[in-house]
Amino acid sequence: MDSPKSPTENEINYGNLSDDTIIDYETLIKEEEEQRPLVSEYDDISNYKVNYIDSEIFSKKIDQLKKTCKGYRSVRKDGNCFYRSFSYKYFELYNKNPSSKWSKEMKKIGENTINVLTSANFEKETIEDFYEFFMDSYDEKKFKEASFTDDYTSNGIVFYLRLICSAELKLNHEKYEMFLEEPLESFIAKQVEPLGRDVDNVQIMAIVNALKVCINIAYLDSTDYDVNWIKFGEEYQKDPSSPVINLLFTPGHYDMLYRDNE
Amino acid sequence: MSFRQRSTTLKRLMKEYKELTLNAPEGIIAGPISETNFFKWEALVSGPEKTPYEGGIFPAILTFPNDYPLNPPVMEFTCEMWHPNIYKNGKVCISILHAPGNDPNMYESSNERWSPVQSVEKILLSVVSMLAEPNDESPANVDAAKMYRTNREEFNKRVRKTVEKSLGF
């Protein structure tokens, strides 16, 4: 920094160097993460681990969770974790009892998404393959065999969910615009449609409203308070027995959570 | 690669090719190099008017990944280029071509990224805008960016030379 170069030159050189370092570091993390399964096997909640939260606070919070929750599944940390956790849990719940009233309603809403998407100006030809991936998961055999083990299919489903989110934001923009700090169109193009972009509450609200399901998220952070639960779409939980999609949030990441009554 | 993946990817590439042949945007031609390999395309981009690139016809290769359109293609000019956002080896570096999660400008979340609803056409149009308006904030060719900032006349001269070369003079 003490070279006689102009500040402009310093800026360029410094920027260039740090880009390379960032890319190297990112590639390393990405490669490591890609070795992990998209969705892990079910495991007991007491085995849930996060390495960057102070362990005392963390184990206290896991103890709290244990009172009402029995297990978890973790998903790959690639910026798609919310969509992947949500869709896995969504189809898992459906396939548990496809003939129930709730499941039938779920599938009807899912089937109709292609019409919603085309009415939001998505070209049918561009999206129909991904719609097929999504619909296939309502079949238990296909759900178990391919949906979340094959990267392409799983990412295709994640992409399709992003489009469902995008269409909901466009079609009912008046509900969401007040939460955004930028024009809706650019928010969608930058934060919703590209794979690998994390969610904010706005995207969660949109998914909940588009698919008419309730999501309950346990927030596990490093603060000294009790585990915080936040429900999205409580209005879609028509009676206490309707299924709810339970997720577990740790700073920057979503995994799936299983409560005792599941 | 599963059969399904291959069929989805190929179907999409064929559809994009068909559309580009029917309604090509002005100044852009693109298509597969051979009928047996839809994963490698050649593109010709004409330099936009009223820029130092005007009159040039720049050839490039687009290489599509096996999981297209979930991930974007790589675009490389095969002729000499002088531009802040094109690496010296010809590789184009603009935000729409950045694969999610493999993004050298992650701290710049303000740019549009690749998403499967984008297309080859949108990439090529972004490249034409990139030629018209270089972004010297995060340069791929630091020397070109420096020259663009500090000595525009010399920069333009250097570009004109690549234009002549692209035309075979």
Side-chain angles (χ1 to χ4, degrees), chain A residues 8 12 16 19 22-23 26 30 122-123 125-126 129 133 136 152-153 155 159 163 190 193-195 197, chain B residues 4-5 8-9 11-12 15 67-70 100-101 103-104 106-107 110 113-117 142 149:
Chain A
T8 320
I12 291 173
N16 193 40
D19 274 0
I22 291 169
I23 294 171
E26 272 184 18
K30 205 183 155 205
F122 287 111
E123 267 180 74
E125 271 190 304
T126 314
D129 278 359
F133 293 5
D136 274 357
Y152 193 74
T153 309
N155 288 335
F159 168 58
L163 294 186
K190 292 167 196 163
E193 289 173 355
L195 285 161
R197 281 277 187 234
Chain B
R4 177 190 235 184
Q5 176 171 348
T8 302
T9 300
K11 206 167 105 188
R12 165 73 180 249
K15 179 185 161 260
D67 62 355
Y68 185 78
L70 297 180
D103 172 4
M106 205 146 101
Y107 42 91
S110 56
R113 300 273 165 240
W114 173 258
S115 108
V117 292
V142 181
R149 268 194 198 179

Side-chain angles (χ1 to χ4, degrees), chain A residues 60-76:
Chain A
K60 225 162 68 189
K61 292 196 171 182
I62 289 287
D63 283 341
Q64 278 177 30
L65 276 182
K66 272 189 210 161
K67 288 177 194 158
T68 55
C69 304
K70 56 182 179 184
Y72 75 98
R73 271 179 208 275
S74 50
V75 301
R76 197 183 280 172

Side-chain angles (χ1 to χ4, degrees), chain B residues 100-111:
Chain B
N102 187 14
D103 172 4
N105 306 319
M106 205 146 101
Y107 42 91
E108 271 181 39
S109 62
S110 56
N111 287 322

